[in-house]
Amino acid sequence: MNILLIGDTIKSKNLGCQLVSHSFREGFKKYFSEDSVTYLDLFKPTSYVSPNYDKVIVNGEGAISKSVNENIYNPVVKCLEEGIPTHFTNFTYDPRIIRGKEFTPSINYGFEKEWMDVFKRCVTVSVRDPISYQYLKERGIKEVKLYPDIGFTIGNNNSKERSNRVLLGLGSITKRADINKNQIKMLINNITELNYEVYLLDWPSHPHSDGYYLQGLANNQNVFYKQVTFQEYFELCQTSKLNITGRHHGVVMSAAAQCPYITFETNMWKTEGDNLLYGPLYY
């Protein structure tokens, strides 16, 4: 059987993108030989797809928001035209436009028809948060399924001792007009006054990484700035008391590690959906 994965993000610097593509690869190993799976890079646009695939799996991670992402949309439509069974998986569907730094949302209905036509023609449509699930149900995608983000499979049941450490990252909160560095610094000081260490975790992103905002805040002996891989991030979640993160995959890895977390509103309803799906957990 020849499998095509559309939307591969293994080459992205974003920790969540790496986590997801790594998880797809680990899953494929259980069922398919390595040479039977072809990966179509999300960041290399293409309109040509060979008709010789038996099955297409779409990694919709982070792609279905605000507008039509042609790097996903075009090859998916081509596969559907060729009659290849197509499974659209692991995505948040959020049609809102977030206007400016005030986080004022409005629904973008302009591109919805195209996506709804695609979803209705797919064999499987599976989202990773309850808000997307309910929204698509109401828009006529009756067979939509809800599953945890595939990155959740990084978890295991091994219990580990937790140190007196709090993790802190940011995400889209940096784009909010009502949040500034002084407030973040005050939060860090409040945590350290309770005798916790604070790890400020970088998260590569566009146009600036979280480290762009956090690096200068590691200014006392109990505050540390860290650049980590997604595996190291998960391992820190396994041994920390709390993770404060505005990143969807920061929440996913916290939940997988059974680490309590606090999250923020983001540029999509990802983290709002995460709270409905993952929390509160059995801490």
Side-chain angles (χ1 to χ4, degrees):
M1 177 174 284
N2 292 318
I3 309 296
L4 175 66
L5 177 81
I6 295 176
D8 185 41
T9 55
I10 198 72
K11 295 179 181 178
S12 171
K13 294 181 180 180
N14 185 292
L15 301 186
C17 291
Q18 293 175 9
L19 168 68
V20 164
S21 286
H22 170 80
S23 299
F24 269 111
R25 282 164 168 76
E26 290 300 301
F28 286 154
K29 285 179 184 178
K30 298 176 183 179
Y31 304 101
F32 309 114
S33 63
E34 187 175 345
D35 60 359
S36 69
V37 183
T38 300
Y39 297 91
L40 191 61
D41 193 328
L42 174 64
F43 308 106
K44 291 184 178 179
T46 182
S47 58
Y48 173 76
V49 175
S50 168
N52 298 323
Y53 292 104
D54 302 297
K55 189 187 298 286
V56 171
I57 298 173
V58 185
N59 170 28
E61 194 274 304
I64 317 305
S65 63
K66 299 188 284 298
S67 61
V68 172
N69 185 326
E70 293 185 354
N71 291 4
I72 291 282
Y73 182 82
N74 289 343
V76 169
V77 169
K78 182 64 175 175
C79 291
L80 292 170
E81 289 174 348
E82 294 288 350
I84 308 172
T86 300
H87 303 261
F88 212 116
T89 69
N90 204 59
F91 68 103
T92 292
Y93 181 81
D94 186 348
R96 300 174 302 167
I97 303 173
I98 306 299
R99 300 188 181 280
K101 291 192 173 184
E102 298 297 331
F103 266 58
T104 304
S106 62
I107 297 294
N108 179 2
Y109 294 108
F111 74 99
E112 280 218 309
K113 183 179 183 302
E114 288 88 344
W115 278 123
M116 296 305 151
D117 288 347
V118 163
F119 296 152
K120 289 174 181 176
R121 296 164 66 190
C122 289
V123 177
T124 303
V125 176
S126 57
V127 295
R128 61 188 185 178
D129 74 275
I131 302 176
S132 297
Y133 173 80
Q134 188 62 37
Y135 187 87
L136 289 179
K137 276 274 190 181
E138 292 174 355
R139 299 294 289 166
I141 312 302
K142 301 300 184 183
E143 301 303 317
V144 62
K145 306 295 183 184
L146 171 63
Y147 297 101
D149 190 289
I150 193 172
F152 190 78
T153 59
I154 194 175
N156 55 55
N157 295 320
N158 296 334
S159 179
K160 296 193 176 184
E161 184 176 351
R162 298 191 181 275
S163 67
N164 218 33
R165 180 198 309 125
V166 173
L167 309 177
L168 176 61
L170 296 175
S172 297
I173 194 173
T174 58
K175 300 176 183 177
R176 288 175 51 170
D178 58 335
I179 301 295
N180 58 54
K181 276 192 174 183
N182 287 334
Q183 292 168 307
I184 297 170
K185 188 182 298 184
M186 187 181 303
L187 172 62
I188 293 169
N189 290 340
N190 289 342
I191 296 170
T192 56
E193 286 175 4
L194 296 172
N195 296 317
Y196 288 97
E197 287 185 341
V198 177
Y199 278 20
L200 307 178
L201 299 184
D202 194 10
W203 192 290
S205 187
H206 178 79
H208 299 297
S209 72
D210 288 3
Y212 177 85
Y213 299 94
L214 288 171
Q215 193 167 6
L217 300 179
N219 55 3
N220 82 42
Q221 61 181 1
N222 291 319
V223 183
F224 306 91
Y225 170 72
K226 299 286 184 179
Q227 292 179 306
V228 294
T229 65
F230 73 82
Q231 184 66 48
E232 291 167 340
Y233 188 106
F234 171 71
E235 290 167 359
L236 284 172
C237 289
Q238 288 182 301
T239 57
S240 297
K241 288 288 180 67
L242 176 68
N243 187 18
I244 304 172
T245 176
R247 297 284 177 184
H248 161 71
H249 285 107
V251 171
V252 169
M253 286 190 274
S254 297
Q258 298 182 30
C259 176
Y261 68 84
I262 297 172
T263 191
F264 316 115
E265 182 181 36
T266 68
N267 61 341
M268 296 174 70
W269 52 43
K270 293 180 288 191
T271 50
E272 297 162 78
D274 290 338
N275 284 339
L276 294 171
L277 190 61
Y278 300 116
L281 290 172
Y282 42 94
Y283 299 126

